[in-house]
């Protein structure tokens, strides 16, 4: 069973949800390894947390890079108890307009990165440990102009279930969280489109967007003994937004362009 204090790897841990998760895990006594594409930020975050926290550069889409970083972390800290994959990108665009390169980049980081995270976990997580994959509300609720992201996150949900089956004999639990809109650097662009965040909030029964800490709390639960009977599950975490509908990004951008055109005229 996963016990705290433990050795935890937070991929994508230098920013947003990953950083909040790293802080929460360190605060409860875990030794945290922060791995991120932005290696300097990962190192700076580790220094901020102090103690035995370490920072590493990793490219989640690259098997060699993932293997090397997990080996380094194991050598430095010992057997890993929990892996949390928070790395993600979003490249919006309608299917007609989305480039194949943007489709592939999104699938690569969001889905292949999750696959390699689980794959490395099979090698380096001790029996009884756990894995948490950050999927999304968009893994189950479609959004116009979000085909790549929605498809990747839906894939993460099925990956979670398959991984849970395969790792259960070693009592390694694999779960996912499905956050709705959370204010982080990833979503800062949405704030520039008038009405977009407001439309999300209007379609959220609890009437607010999320914070990175909202998500970190649930990841903390899933990696703790309190969740010892949970595997292959996904927790919706979105103020109830899954009961309603996702904002139409393209309509909002069109409204913004029309408004700008009217101002320019
Ligand atoms: P963020 O942009 O603040 O943090 C993502 C981190 O992942 C960054 O530190 C970035 O450097 C790292 N990263 C990106 N590509 C990488 C790669 N190829 N290899 C290694 N690291 C990489 O974003 P945020 O919002 O904290 O997102 C975390 C996760 O939560 C992502 O999987 C995202 O899709 C998911 N999510 C976010 C939501 C939101 O509203 N912010 C909603 C639902 C899911």
């Amino acid at each position: 069973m996963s016990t705290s204090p433990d050795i935890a790897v937070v991929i994508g841990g230098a920013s947003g949800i990953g950083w909040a998760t790293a802080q929460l895990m360190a605060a409860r006594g875990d030794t945290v390894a922060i791995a991120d594409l932005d290696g300097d930020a990962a190192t700076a975050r580790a220094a901020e947390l102090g103690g035995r926290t370490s920072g590493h550069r990793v490219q989640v889409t690259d098997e060699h890079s993932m293997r090397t970083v997990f080996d380094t972390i194991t050598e430095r800290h010992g057997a890993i108890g929990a892996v949390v994959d928070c790395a993600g990108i979003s490249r919006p665009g309608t299917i007609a307009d989305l480039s194949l390169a943007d489709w592939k980049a999104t699938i690569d980081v969001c889905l292949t990165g999750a696959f390699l995270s689980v794959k490395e976990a099979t090698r380096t997580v001790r029996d009884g440990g756990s894995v948490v994959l950050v999927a999304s509300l968009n893994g189950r609720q479609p959004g116009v102009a979000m085909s790549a992201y929605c498809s990747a996150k839906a894939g993460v949900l099925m990956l979670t279930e398959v991984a849970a089956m395969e790792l259960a004999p070693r009592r390694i639990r694999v779960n996912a969280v499905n956050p709705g809109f959370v204010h982080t650097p990833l979503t800062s662009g949405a704030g520039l489109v008038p009405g977009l965040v407001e439309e999300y909030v209007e379609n959220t029964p609890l009437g607010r967007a999320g914070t990175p800490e909202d998500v970190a709390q649930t990841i903390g639960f899933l990696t703790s003994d309190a969740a010892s009977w949970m595997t292959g599950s996904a927790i919706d975490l979105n103020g109830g937004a899954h009961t309603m509908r996702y904002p139409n990004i393209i309509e909002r951008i069109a409204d913004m362009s029309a408004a700008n055109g009217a101002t320019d005229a």
Side-chain angles (χ1 to χ4, degrees), residues 138-242:
N138 294 124
R140 57 173 292 184
Q141 185 180 64
V144 170
M146 298 181 71
S147 61
Y149 189 77
C150 291
S151 303
K153 294 299 189 177
V156 171
L157 294 177
M158 187 49 75
L159 174 70
T160 303
E161 295 192 29
V162 174
M165 292 174 77
E166 293 187 5
L167 295 181
R170 292 178 49 207
R171 292 174 295 103
I172 296 175
R173 300 177 300 102
V174 185
N175 292 293
V177 290
N178 291 332
F181 189 96
V182 180
H183 290 291
T184 69
L186 182 75
T187 53
S188 57
L192 304 176
V193 181
L196 186 58
V197 179
E198 289 79 358
E199 190 180 338
Y200 175 82
V201 170
E202 279 164 19
N203 282 287
T204 302
L206 289 183
R208 70 169 176 90
T211 64
E213 291 72 27
D214 287 325
V215 186
Q217 290 287 348
T218 302
I219 295 172
F221 161 70
L222 286 172
T223 54
S224 77
D225 288 351
S228 64
W229 206 39
M230 282 187 72
T231 196
S233 299
I235 297 185
D236 287 316
L237 193 63
N238 55 47
H242 64 283

Side-chain angles (χ1 to χ4, degrees), residues 11-19 35-38 41 57-62 66 85-90 105 108-110 133-138 149 153 177-187 210 212 215 237 246:
I11 301 166
S15 176
I17 292 167
W19 170 230
D36 201 287
L37 187 61
D38 187 340
R57 184 188 181 277
V58 77
Q59 167 57 275
V60 281
T61 63
D62 182 277
M66 287 287 273
D85 176 27
C86 302
I89 60 169
S90 175
D108 226 18
V109 176
C110 293
L133 302 176
V134 179
S136 171
L137 168 63
N138 294 124
Y149 189 77
K153 294 299 189 177
V177 290
N178 291 332
F181 189 96
V182 180
H183 290 291
T184 69
L186 182 75
T187 53
V215 186
L237 193 63
Y246 208 72

